[in-house]
Amino acid sequence: MKKENLIRQLGALFVTFAKVGIMTFGGGYAMLPMLEREVVNRKKWATNEEIMNYFAVGQCTPGVIAVNTATFIGYKQRGIAGGVFATLGVVFPSVVIITIIAAFIQNFADLPVVTHAFAGVRAVVAVLVVDAVIKFFKAGCKDWFGVVVAVLAFIIAGILGISSVYVVIGALVVGLIAGLTFRRNIKE
């Protein structure tokens, strides 16, 4: 009975993340609304705060953010096997779709209808990414400290063009120092 339950749970992870993977156009940030609907609202496998944390860590670690996030959630649910099945689920639709597109793209890429279709998809992806940015801002900037760090990070990375790796490391150090300082001030 336990083995059947495990197989059912692993199957649910695969299918859920395959649904997220097949409906996600535009990469990791564009998948946030679908991921919230499936993983937070329907399955209750994570909270909104956990999803934001997984996205943040997924952004800071090597690899694709969608894959990293699926791996974190799958691991939380069923350990290593859960991480593997969730990861396979989220990448499976992309592999199939990209393989099909790659087989035919050279024949149709120059058609006006295809060009317009891609333009439409790019516009929608931009909206999905902006939606994700707004959600991240609301989740991560709950006080003056979060807003200041976000604005400085935007200026440093977005305007000055400094690598986001340095910005993330700097924000981590500033956050640790602030956390230790604020905790010390509260104890005194």
Side-chain angles (χ1 to χ4, degrees):
M1 191 63 148
K2 284 186 177 183
K3 188 174 182 178
E4 290 174 4
N5 191 32
L6 174 64
I7 291 170
R8 191 175 312 118
Q9 290 173 340
L10 293 175
L13 282 166
F14 182 88
V15 169
T16 299
F17 281 97
K19 282 176 24 182
V20 170
I22 202 164
M23 297 305 293
T24 302
F25 296 93
Y29 292 115
M31 79 182 276
L32 184 59
M34 179 76 168
L35 193 64
E36 283 181 324
R37 185 171 46 253
E38 290 296 320
V39 173
V40 176
N41 299 336
R42 289 190 179 152
K43 299 290 186 177
K44 310 276 190 238
W45 288 339
T47 64
N48 278 325
E49 185 173 338
E50 286 174 322
I51 292 290
M52 293 299 170
N53 289 340
Y54 294 149
F55 258 61
V57 173
Q59 179 65 39
C60 299
T61 54
V64 180
I65 191 170
V67 173
N68 294 349
T69 303
T71 306
F72 292 141
I73 294 168
Y75 183 83
K76 177 186 175 199
Q77 293 305 305
R78 295 302 308 169
I80 292 172
V84 169
F85 273 78
T87 301
L88 290 174
V90 81
V91 300
F92 180 75
S94 296
V95 169
V96 171
I97 291 168
I98 288 173
T99 302
I100 292 168
I101 290 173
F104 296 104
I105 192 74
Q106 294 301 329
N107 299 332
F108 301 106
D110 295 330
L111 294 177
V113 68
V114 173
T115 304
H116 292 303
F118 284 144
V121 169
R122 283 193 303 269
V124 170
V125 167
V127 171
L128 293 173
V129 171
V130 168
D131 181 54
V133 168
I134 291 168
K135 287 180 180 179
F136 266 109
F137 188 81
K138 288 179 180 177
C141 301
K142 295 180 180 179
D143 56 15
W144 66 269
F145 179 75
V147 172
V148 168
V149 169
V151 169
L152 288 175
F154 176 75
I155 292 169
I156 294 168
I159 296 174
L160 299 179
I162 295 175
S163 171
S164 59
V165 171
Y166 299 122
V167 176
V168 169
I169 292 169
L172 176 68
V173 170
V174 168
L176 288 171
I177 292 169
L180 293 172
T181 302
F182 292 147
R183 185 181 330 153
R184 190 175 301 132
N185 288 342
I186 292 171
K187 289 181 179 180
E188 292 175 356

